[in-house]
Amino acid sequence: MVGAIVTQQGIFQLAKFGAADYAVSLVGVLGLRELGVLMTSIMIAGRTGSSITAEIGSMKMREEIDALKVMALDPLEVLIIPRLIALVIALPLLTFLADMAQMGGGLFVSWIYAGITPAVFITRLQNAIWVETFLVGLIKAPFMAVVIGLIAATEGMEVRGSAESLGRCVTSSVVKSIFMVIVMDGLFAMFFATVDY
């Protein structure tokens, strides 16, 4: 949907300057470099980040984490690191799927609104993007995953013995994760602009 919306708005706005064809470049570069990883990270923060916080928080409330310590198991190794590894693997894969979905949405809308056939869309897309354009989003994804996982786990460990505390920590986890994902995306954008990548 994001790819479709960006393409549709790009076509309408650029048509005023006789440049509607550049909407393909817009969705290609913007989608692959920024929006694919950003939207995926926000959804993962809301869905998986909240889940991690709720799981660890409920374990903390029922003193299961203390039981792990009594059994000489490190909660970091048992609860947090496996979730971080899973996020680091899953987020780049989901980002790739989001990128492909965005390009599909852009292709469909450009065909409907601007009469750009799929073959022409793909040719223009190939001329607009490079391998580096595609890699930028995938490079960001593992870092976003680590930030989401660490915030979610930290908030889960902050839960105290009430349902109110659990709800507050889950909400805090989602808000902080989304905020940090946006901040990191901005920092990465400045970094990639500085190194001209």
Side-chain angles (χ1 to χ4, degrees):
M1 290 304 294
V2 170
I5 292 165
V6 168
T7 305
Q8 187 251 2
Q9 287 298 307
I11 289 169
F12 284 150
Q13 299 304 320
L14 292 171
K16 297 173 185 175
F17 307 101
D21 294 345
Y22 287 104
V24 175
S25 302
L26 177 68
V27 73
V29 174
L30 185 62
L32 294 176
R33 287 183 71 97
E34 302 295 333
L35 292 178
V37 67
L38 187 61
M39 296 303 293
T40 304
S41 297
I42 288 171
M43 285 188 275
I44 289 295
R47 190 242 172 249
T48 307
S50 63
S51 176
I52 290 171
T53 303
E55 289 169 4
I56 293 175
S58 63
M59 291 181 76
K60 187 94 187 287
M61 285 171 54
R62 293 191 300 252
E63 298 180 353
E64 293 174 23
I65 292 176
D66 294 331
L68 286 173
K69 291 176 183 175
V70 168
M71 291 187 292
L73 294 172
D74 185 359
L76 180 69
E77 291 177 10
V78 176
L79 299 175
I80 298 170
I81 291 177
R83 286 172 169 83
L84 279 176
I85 292 170
L87 278 173
V88 167
I89 293 169
L91 194 53
L93 296 174
L94 292 170
T95 298
F96 174 78
L97 291 175
D99 289 343
M100 295 305 101
Q102 279 190 98
M103 296 306 106
L107 185 148
F108 180 74
V109 167
S110 62
W111 194 8
I112 299 297
Y113 281 93
I116 300 171
T117 64
V120 172
F121 181 91
I122 291 169
T123 302
R124 288 184 181 159
L125 189 62
Q126 287 173 337
N127 293 332
I129 64 173
W130 304 96
V131 174
E132 291 83 3
T133 311
F134 177 70
L135 290 177
V136 165
L138 295 182
I139 289 169
K140 293 179 189 178
F143 295 97
M144 305 280 197
V146 168
V147 166
I148 292 166
L150 288 176
I151 290 172
T154 303
E155 288 296 323
M157 296 298 259
E158 292 295 317
V159 172
R160 296 297 170 248
S162 68
E164 181 186 358
S165 173
L166 179 62
R168 190 169 48 250
C169 287
V170 168
T171 302
S172 177
S173 168
V174 173
V175 172
K176 286 179 183 176
S177 294
I178 291 173
F179 176 75
M180 284 308 299
V181 158
I182 293 169
V183 168
M184 280 193 65
D185 190 62
L187 293 174
F188 269 112
M190 289 188 290
F191 171 74
F192 285 125
T194 302
V195 298
D196 196 25
Y197 188 75

